């Protein structure tokens, strides 16, 4: 791989945010001692500088196709190696200042290659497809449920013979009706007698064998016919009570007179 030195140097020091930075000890090729260097990771390229303030890198490692392995040597504490598949490829050995720093660098370098990023993208695409498939399945179920409810609603309405509004009126009205007559609640109570009560006859119940309460027959008295309790002038229960009271009183008078007549004749 051929790299343009000026382009690489510019990329190493430009304002693009790095993926990771920090000090590591790099083992030299000729001088096998470890030298402290400042490392900058950008994408799949690992740059290293003599000092943190250096303006140009002294080297770069392209991490494509590499593996990062821990060194098992006891003399090399917190050390790891960057290896490539090619047998003649160079092996880079480095050491961190602590166990946590070593683990962080190994993790970052292992994920820096484009091959790893390609696998991550494929996995994310697979997860996205699964989520979209679940969303489509849920949407289809909700659509079928709505259609079934719309189909079932007319059949329920036809079976009951009335709509939802009519059903509400029916149940509200049924609680205050008896034999087709509506009973209005009393407006006041005085001495146990309800005031403002009236019977209102309507067409409810016709055709189903139900009829309103029968009208009491008119009775003949000495004074002639009494007023009918359901005449237009009878407006409340008190008048109905008074009417029957008068009838009872007149019948009592007739009975007393008949008793007196019987006693005189005897």
């Amino acid at each position: 791989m051929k790299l343009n030195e000026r382009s690489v140097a510019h990329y190493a020091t430009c304002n693009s945010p790095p993926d990771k930075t920090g000090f590591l000890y790099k083992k030299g090729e000729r001088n096998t001692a470890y030298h402290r260097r400042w490392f900058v990771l950008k994408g799949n390229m690992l740059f290293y500088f003599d000092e943190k303030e250096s303006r140009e890198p002294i080297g770069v490692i392209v991490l494509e196709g590499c593996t990062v392995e821990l060194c098992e040597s006891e003399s090399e504490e917190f050390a790891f190696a960057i290896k490539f598949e090619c047998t003649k490829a160079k092996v880079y050995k480095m050491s961190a200042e602590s166990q946590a720093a070593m683990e962080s660098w190994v993790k970052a370098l292992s994920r820096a290659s484009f091959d790893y990023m390609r696998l991550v993208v494929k996995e994310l695409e697979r997860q996205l497809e699964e989520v979209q498939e679940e969303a489509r399945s849920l949407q289809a179920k909700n659509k079928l449920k709505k259609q079934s409810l719309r189909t079932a609603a007319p059949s329920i309405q036809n079976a009951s013979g009335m709509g939802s509004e009519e059903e509400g009126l029916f149940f509200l009205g049924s609680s205050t009706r008896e034999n087709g007559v509506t009973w209005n609640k009393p407006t006041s109570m005085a001495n146990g007698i309800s005031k403002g009560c009236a019977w209102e006859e309507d067409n409810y119940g016709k055709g189903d064998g139900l009829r309103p309460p029968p009208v009491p027959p008119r009775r003949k008295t000495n004074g002639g016919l009494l007023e009918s309790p359901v005449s237009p002038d009878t407006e409340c229960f008190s008048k109905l009570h008074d009417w029957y009271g008068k009838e009872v009183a007149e019948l009592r008078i007739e009975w007393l007179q008949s008793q007196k007549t019987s006693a005189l004749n005897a």
Side-chain angles (χ1 to χ4, degrees), residues 20-38:
K20 187 173 179 58
T21 60
F23 282 104
L24 289 173
Y25 294 92
K26 180 179 177 296
K27 190 173 184 178
E29 296 179 12
R30 297 178 182 177
N31 184 3
T32 57
Y34 282 90
H35 303 278
R36 193 168 186 260
R37 299 285 184 257
W38 176 255

Side-chain angles (χ1 to χ4, degrees), residues 102-119:
M102 181 195 68
E103 293 177 357
S104 178
W105 272 106
V106 170
K107 184 177 180 180
L109 296 175
S110 300
R111 298 179 176 182
S113 66
F114 282 114
D115 289 337
Y116 177 83
M117 296 300 295
R118 191 178 296 110
L119 294 176

Side-chain angles (χ1 to χ4, degrees), residues 174-236:
S174 62
S175 61
T176 58
R177 295 174 183 269
E178 183 177 358
N179 294 335
V181 177
T182 302
W183 174 258
N184 292 334
K185 294 183 179 179
T187 56
S188 62
M189 297 290 292
N191 299 325
I193 301 175
S194 302
K195 295 183 179 181
C197 300
W199 294 90
E200 297 176 1
E201 183 180 0
D202 54 16
N203 293 327
Y204 175 76
K206 289 186 177 182
D208 54 4
L210 298 177
R211 293 292 183 273
V215 178
R218 299 188 181 188
R219 296 178 179 270
K220 291 184 179 181
T221 62
N222 295 333
L225 294 176
L226 290 177
E227 179 187 13
S228 174
V230 292
S231 65
D233 295 334
T234 303
E235 297 178 354
C236 64

Side-chain angles (χ1 to χ4, degrees), residues 6-264:
R6 295 182 61 181
S7 299
V8 171
H10 173 73
Y11 178 60
T13 56
C14 67
N15 295 328
S16 61
D19 298 315
K20 187 173 179 58
T21 60
F23 282 104
L24 289 173
Y25 294 92
K26 180 179 177 296
K27 190 173 184 178
E29 296 179 12
R30 297 178 182 177
N31 184 3
T32 57
Y34 282 90
H35 303 278
R36 193 168 186 260
R37 299 285 184 257
W38 176 255
F39 284 82
V40 176
L41 176 63
K42 286 188 176 184
N44 65 341
M45 304 183 75
L46 180 63
F47 301 94
Y48 52 96
F49 301 77
D50 276 333
E51 299 293 339
K52 184 177 180 180
E53 294 79 11
S54 300
R55 302 186 63 179
E56 291 185 0
I58 59 176
V60 59
I61 303 172
V62 181
L63 301 172
E64 203 63 39
C66 71
T67 57
V68 183
E69 300 177 0
L70 298 180
C71 296
E72 298 179 357
S73 175
E74 296 181 358
S75 60
E76 298 173 331
E77 191 176 15
F78 310 131
F80 59 92
I82 301 175
K83 299 180 179 180
F84 296 87
E85 296 178 357
C86 182
T87 55
K88 295 182 180 181
K90 184 179 178 181
V91 177
Y92 297 89
K93 287 188 177 182
M94 302 173 191
S95 176
E97 295 178 346
S98 65
Q99 180 71 22
M102 181 195 68
E103 293 177 357
S104 178
W105 272 106
V106 170
K107 184 177 180 180
L109 296 175
S110 300
R111 298 179 176 182
S113 66
F114 282 114
D115 289 337
Y116 177 83
M117 296 300 295
R118 191 178 296 110
L119 294 176
V120 171
V121 170
K122 287 183 178 180
E123 177 62 20
L124 292 175
E125 289 178 349
R126 185 188 65 79
Q127 294 179 7
L128 178 60
E129 289 179 358
E130 291 181 356
V131 172
Q132 290 177 344
E133 183 64 26
E134 292 178 359
R136 286 192 293 266
S137 178
L138 181 61
Q139 186 177 5
K141 290 181 180 179
N142 291 336
K143 187 176 181 181
L144 291 175
K145 186 176 181 180
K146 290 180 179 179
Q147 290 178 353
S148 61
L149 291 175
R150 291 175 182 175
T151 305
S155 60
I156 296 175
Q157 181 177 350
N158 294 333
S160 62
M162 59 184 70
S164 58
E165 296 181 357
E166 294 175 346
E167 289 179 355
L169 293 175
F170 171 75
F171 286 114
L172 288 174
S174 62
S175 61
T176 58
R177 295 174 183 269
E178 183 177 358
N179 294 335
V181 177
T182 302
W183 174 258
N184 292 334
K185 294 183 179 179
T187 56
S188 62
M189 297 290 292
N191 299 325
I193 301 175
S194 302
K195 295 183 179 181
C197 300
W199 294 90
E200 297 176 1
E201 183 180 0
D202 54 16
N203 293 327
Y204 175 76
K206 289 186 177 182
D208 54 4
L210 298 177
R211 293 292 183 273
V215 178
R218 299 188 181 188
R219 296 178 179 270
K220 291 184 179 181
T221 62
N222 295 333
L225 294 176
L226 290 177
E227 179 187 13
S228 174
V230 292
S231 65
D233 295 334
T234 303
E235 297 178 354
C236 64
F237 184 76
S238 59
K239 285 189 176 183
L240 183 65
H241 183 272
D242 293 341
W243 186 88
Y244 281 112
K246 290 179 182 180
E247 184 180 15
V248 171
E250 292 178 359
L251 290 174
R252 180 178 176 79
I253 292 172
E254 291 181 1
W255 180 77
L256 291 174
Q257 289 178 354
S258 63
Q259 292 293 323
K260 289 181 181 181
T261 303
S262 297
L264 291 176

